[in-house]
Amino acid sequence: MSEPLSHPARKHPSRPRTVLLRGGEVHSPADPFATAMVVEGDRIAWVGEEGAADSFAEGVDEVVPLDGALVTPAFTDAHVHTTATGLALTGLDLVGVGTLSDALARIRAYANARPADRILLGHGWDAGIWPEGRAPSRAELDEVTGGRPLYLTRVDVHSAVVTTALLDLVPGIRGRDGFHDGAPLTGAAHHVARKAAYATVTPAQRAEAQAAALARAASLGIGSVHECAGPDISGEDDFTGLLALAREGNGPRVIGYWAELIASAKDAERIRELGALGAAGDLFADGSLGSHTAHLHAPYADAGHTGTAQLDAEAVAAHVAACTEAGLQAGFHAIGDAALTSVVSGVRAAADQVGLDRVRAARHRVEHAEMLTEDTLAGFADLALTASVQPAFDAAWGGEDGMYAARLGAERARTLNPYAALLKAGVPLALGSDSPVTPLDPWGTVRAAVFHRTRAHGISARAAFTTHTRGGWRAIGRDDAGVLVPGAPADYAVWRTGDLIVQAPDERVQRWSTDPRSGTPGLPDLTPGSDLPVCLTTVVGGRTVFGPPNE
């Protein structure tokens, strides 16, 4: 299939520019058999079948023949760290490196190629997949960098290894919580090391990284990203610079969250002045399973402790109450079952204080929400908390022999990421990547949600696709977007793909929902091993941000 070609027609400067896309497959609940769509300015104006498209052809400014391509709403990645993603794309990326010795060789080569960098930055090591079974030692890192400062995050970004020279740049780091000589940095020690490392990134480097990340997102059919920033993650200049870059309109939309506790209307106003939608995102209630910092009720199977609690229920309640009173979204990073218990208990206490209906209406959110229990899952449903989840985590670390099982034991690991149960309970989902923890990969994310490593947790392709498109918009309080219907924002992507089908995780799903006669719009075959769709064009607000430009 060739790429869609543009055929400009006569322009009408007195009205919004109009485009007719025809001759493809348009994924729309307005018409499950749609083959054409009209865009007027920044909105969808019409969706329908080919015969009716003839009546529009003479009056539009441009006709785009789709040549059988699929048109869908653009994806929303509901959890991204944009600058870190860009630095990984343009710098030292160890994701997927299979051995410690190969990682050290790559670090050495990178250090030799960047003699002018004040601090070497890298990401993505994972000792869990290395035959050596351990992180690189400080002595090894000192040797391969020639004694230069290096900050290198684990794949989950919740711990890091550093060189002696980096430690020497951070006064008092050896006395911080999370510093254990000979072990990766976690907790407060990690946060101060990260702050020192990223402080050396110049505005030009930062802008280059952000532009690279947004360009990659656009090339994958992603029309919006939720930036999860905060004082423990990135600086205010980084955050406001990214929002300014996004306002130029050359890439995906960026919805910003700033992860800082608030206690007053004055605090809330500062969050707004930064340009953030909410005091949410990675406001840490705990850490991660891979780094043994997620907060558990019972000890890790491979460590004699229960991780790290960073917020208790009282702190959660105060934050949620203040955000609700101020009309801001609140939200938390919570992975372990104990952390999720604290979050749900805190949100419930806030609801008792300011009113349950007001808390529900605020659409507060929880990032990751991996280790849910029956009680906390029910709490999510009752409190209308959005679960912002990352199916690629299960694809990477789930299964009987995966990292989750190593950390928790197989029985507890099988309870993680229960997407089917969340949807059954009515919990709103928004899908994302947590990039650079896992790559920007929207169709791969949908596939991972369908073909969950724990079979009972898988959901239909339709449900996964909807939560990765419309779900991200609903998570920011917009119910009118993320779907191709008249009046919706013109955020869409065009794909080269194979035959469309209606796919479920297994035969237990009711037959009517997968029968073509049900009128359910089809989606690409996501069976593991099959080719995923290739993005040809991405349009945001009626503007092409990837692919052939509109003339």
Side-chain angles (χ1 to χ4, degrees):
M1 182 185 300
S2 60
E3 291 190 357
L5 301 175
S6 297
H7 296 294
R10 185 169 62 89
K11 295 185 179 182
H12 304 271
S14 61
R15 61 171 174 78
R17 188 172 178 280
T18 55
V19 178
L20 168 64
L21 298 92
R22 64 183 306 180
E25 301 280 353
V26 179
H27 187 92
S28 171
D31 184 344
F33 307 106
T35 62
M37 180 172 78
V38 173
V39 175
E40 183 175 339
D42 62 355
R43 297 278 163 174
I44 306 298
W46 174 84
V47 174
E49 297 179 46
E50 194 63 28
D54 290 336
S55 62
F56 294 99
E58 295 301 319
V60 299
D61 300 310
E62 181 181 8
V63 176
V64 178
L66 293 168
D67 191 22
L70 170 67
V71 183
T72 72
F75 286 99
T76 293
D77 192 312
H79 192 119
V80 173
H81 304 287
T82 307
T83 302
T85 297
L87 290 172
L89 289 170
T90 60
L92 175 56
D93 184 2
L94 299 182
V95 173
V97 173
T99 69
L100 172 59
S101 59
D102 287 347
L104 292 171
R106 187 171 295 192
I107 296 166
R108 186 191 298 275
Y110 183 80
N112 290 339
R114 309 277 297 201
D117 287 7
R118 289 178 55 200
I119 293 180
L120 300 166
L121 302 173
H123 165 74
W125 62 270
D126 184 359
I129 65 172
W130 292 345
E132 296 90 345
R134 63 173 179 84
S137 70
R138 193 170 307 139
E140 288 169 328
L141 295 175
D142 288 346
E143 195 276 324
V144 297
T145 60
R148 295 167 63 192
L150 166 72
Y151 170 77
L152 185 62
T153 49
R154 189 185 181 278
V155 66
D156 61 4
V157 199
H158 283 272
S159 60
V161 290
V162 299
T163 56
T164 303
L166 190 284
L167 292 178
D168 292 342
L169 292 176
V170 187
I173 190 172
R174 290 172 173 84
R176 295 268 188 166
D177 289 341
F179 181 88
H180 303 283
D181 204 22
L185 302 178
T186 61
H190 178 216
H191 293 160
V192 296
R194 173 165 49 199
K195 185 175 182 178
Y198 282 115
T200 67
V201 176
T202 67
Q205 286 176 310
R206 183 174 64 226
E208 178 189 14
Q210 292 172 346
L214 294 179
R216 172 64 65 87
S219 75
L220 296 170
I222 297 170
S224 299
V225 299
H226 295 183
E227 166 67 13
C228 292
D232 288 335
I233 302 164
S234 58
E236 291 185 10
D237 288 346
D238 182 280
F239 184 62
T240 56
L242 173 63
L243 297 182
L245 177 64
R247 284 194 295 271
E248 295 177 6
N250 299 319
R253 304 174 192 266
V254 176
I255 294 88
Y257 288 97
W258 185 255
E260 188 169 352
L261 288 172
I262 73 166
S264 66
K266 183 178 180 180
D267 292 342
E269 185 57 31
R270 199 182 75 80
I271 299 294
R272 288 195 177 93
E273 288 173 354
L274 286 173
L277 183 66
D282 274 336
L283 184 50
F284 296 117
D286 69 345
S288 73
L289 292 166
S291 291
H292 291 101
T293 52
H295 188 209
L296 312 182
H297 284 305
Y300 284 88
D302 61 349
H305 62 81
T306 57
T308 305
Q310 299 195 40
L311 291 174
D312 59 17
E314 183 178 356
V316 169
H319 180 70
V320 171
C323 285
T324 304
E325 293 279 13
L328 279 178
Q329 266 189 307
F332 305 91
H333 163 120
I335 286 178
D337 51 1
L340 286 160
T341 295
S342 294
V343 167
V344 170
S345 297
V347 177
R348 196 176 297 284
D352 291 341
Q353 177 182 340
V354 302
L356 178 59
D357 288 344
R358 293 179 70 192
V359 165
R360 288 172 171 168
R363 304 194 192 192
H364 302 309
R365 53 191 283 171
V366 180
E367 310 301 315
H368 316 309
E370 292 199 79
M371 206 172 171
L372 290 158
T373 64
E374 288 187 10
D375 287 344
T376 51
L377 194 153
F380 269 57
D382 183 46
L383 299 163
L385 294 172
T386 294
S388 170
V389 300
Q390 297 75 38
F393 286 9
D394 174 72
W397 303 311
E400 295 296 308
D401 299 320
M403 182 270 287
Y404 291 152
R407 293 290 185 270
L408 302 172
E411 184 176 351
R412 279 193 294 176
R414 282 192 288 269
T415 69
L416 265 59
N417 302 303
Y419 304 139
L422 284 163
L423 288 180
K424 183 178 180 181
V427 176
L429 297 186
L431 270 55
S433 63
D434 197 9
S435 179
V437 175
T438 59
L440 300 168
D441 181 13
W443 284 112
T445 295
V446 174
R447 171 185 278 172
V450 176
F451 296 96
H452 198 292
R453 287 179 176 269
T454 301
R455 183 179 177 187
H457 298 332
I459 59 179
S460 70
R462 179 187 183 190
F465 177 79
T466 300
T467 53
H468 208 358
T469 49
R470 197 169 193 180
W473 283 94
R474 285 174 166 165
I476 64 169
R478 291 283 300 273
D479 294 331
D480 63 332
V483 61
L484 302 182
V485 297
D491 289 24
Y492 61 90
V494 182
W495 307 90
R496 181 174 65 242
T497 188
D499 292 339
L500 304 184
I501 62 174
V502 181
Q503 192 167 36
D506 57 59
E507 70 279 358
R508 295 169 299 143
V509 176
Q510 293 170 322
R511 289 184 180 277
W512 67 264
S513 67
T514 58
D515 190 317
R517 292 171 295 180
S518 70
T520 302
L523 287 166
D525 182 2
L526 301 175
T527 304
S530 61
D531 292 335
L532 292 175
V534 174
C535 186
L536 304 175
T537 304
T538 305
V539 174
V540 175
R543 297 183 63 178
T544 300
V545 298
F546 172 75
N550 290 335
E551 300 294 333

